[in-house]
Amino acid sequence: MSQKKSLTLSLVVLTLLLTVSASLAQDAAEPIKIGVLQLVEHVSLDASYEGFVDALAEAGYIDGETISIDFQNAQADQSNMVTISERFVKNKVDLILAIATPAAQAVAAATTEIPVIFTAVTDPVEARLVESMEKPGMNITGVSDAGPIDEQIGLFLTLKPDIKTIGILYNSSEVNSEIQAKQAEKIAEDLGLKVKFGTVTSVNDIEQVLLSIAGEVEGIYLPTDNTFASAMANVAKVTEEKGLIVIAGAQGMVEEGGLATIGLDYYKLGVQTGKLAVRVLNGEADPATTPVELLEDTDLLINLITAEAIGYTFSEELMNSADIIISEADVIPYAE
Ligand code: TRP
């Protein structure tokens, strides 16, 4: 090789090396990308996202500074969930947060490589997101919101000791709800209660199903069903008219028209999820071997506004033992 040729070659190699290292340096400076897929907007899910963002910020992962969060709400639409999940994969985000079961299932179908953290998923094993709670096995782990269904059903007897029949309502296409409905049925029957089921396939069926079951039951149990949770105003319209007790799986559902629950705080759930994500981002935890977490502490929440609307009076004992009481004072008056 002539000297001139080898000089040209070394120059080419040098330029190449420089270009590569420059682009690597640029990569390092780029903020960490986090994709968030939330199934739908309702108070519980919104609160869990808020908690997640706060926990990340607490650990130095601040949106717009050290990280960039691409938040997407799928409006409860299956094809939206698929499109958004695929876009996250195409954009090579560093981590995905999936909020609620159907969202986590869509994300799980789109990637086996990007770490996925879920939150507010009732039963990740039944939903086929993980192999087991202790050892998820793949790129996915998270925090489950399985609540104290036994205490929630027991609440019917505290509220109305002579109650005989309850209705359990849910969307039959939500696996999270189906599991809870079955568990609730067993618990209710063990307590000597009769159970009637009412199922919907969309928000549009809610009033109709409630009206058709109202005459046969004295109380309604709603699991953490995303369809019902996003339409509590429709529920309240019927249950108030019929004077029905509503016990729901989540505090947010009671704030928006249910009567009572013993449920978890979704903001806290989100904070716990954020802490888990931080461990994964720091390289301290691998989803495959990081157990799914649960949130243990729950609160008794009662709604006095609903009570008044259905003509119910809480006992003094219950008023005293409630951790959270929703009353007129919490309703923010309209600005003048
Ligand atoms: N647990 C539900 C799921 O797995 C999601 C959810 C969380 C929820 N909180 C809720 C649903 C409150 C209804 C109400 O998809």
Side-chain angles (χ1 to χ4, degrees), residues 153 156-157 163-166 188-195:
I153 300 295
F156 279 110
L157 290 160
I163 191 166
K164 299 273 177 317
T165 312
I166 62 165
E189 286 175 352
D190 287 350
L191 291 172
L193 294 169
K194 281 212 193 73
V195 170

Side-chain angles (χ1 to χ4, degrees), residues 134-308:
E134 298 72 35
K135 215 163 168 284
M138 295 278 288
N139 56 324
I140 307 176
T141 190
V143 184
S144 158
D145 68 337
I149 299 180
D150 48 348
E151 292 178 48
Q152 290 163 0
I153 300 295
L155 203 49
F156 279 110
L157 290 160
T158 314
L159 293 173
K160 199 173 188 319
D162 63 348
I163 191 166
K164 299 273 177 317
T165 312
I166 62 165
I168 299 178
L169 270 54
Y170 64 100
N171 180 342
S172 51
S173 64
E174 285 190 36
V175 50
N176 44 293
S177 309
E178 190 142 44
I179 301 159
Q180 296 176 74
K182 283 203 192 112
Q183 291 170 352
E185 177 190 29
K186 169 134 199 343
I187 294 162
E189 286 175 352
D190 287 350
L191 291 172
L193 294 169
K194 281 212 193 73
V195 170
K196 297 221 180 298
F197 284 110
T199 58
V200 304
T201 53
S202 84
V203 168
N204 304 332
D205 307 337
I206 290 180
E207 282 188 51
Q208 178 53 40
V209 169
L210 265 170
L211 282 169
S212 71
I213 210 172
E216 308 170 43
V217 301
E218 301 149 87
I220 302 278
Y221 178 69
L222 303 175
T224 58
D225 180 280
N226 293 289
T227 310
F228 276 88
S230 54
M232 284 306 291
N234 303 31
V235 173
K237 209 169 128 198
V238 180
T239 53
E240 286 178 5
E241 188 190 308
K242 303 284 177 188
L244 284 173
I245 286 175
V246 175
I247 292 181
Q251 293 179 6
M253 299 169 85
V254 175
E255 283 163 21
E256 294 189 324
L259 183 64
T261 189
I262 297 173
L264 32 98
D265 178 334
Y266 279 84
Y267 178 82
K268 284 190 199 159
L269 189 86
V271 168
Q272 192 170 334
T273 311
K275 288 182 178 164
L276 183 57
V278 166
R279 283 166 50 213
V280 171
L281 289 172
N282 287 346
E284 296 156 8
D286 171 9
T289 52
T290 306
V292 173
E293 297 179 8
L294 290 160
L295 180 61
E296 304 292 347
D297 57 345
T298 52
D299 293 314
L300 168 62
L301 180 140
I302 61 175
N303 188 330
L304 300 187
I305 305 170
T306 308
E308 198 183 325

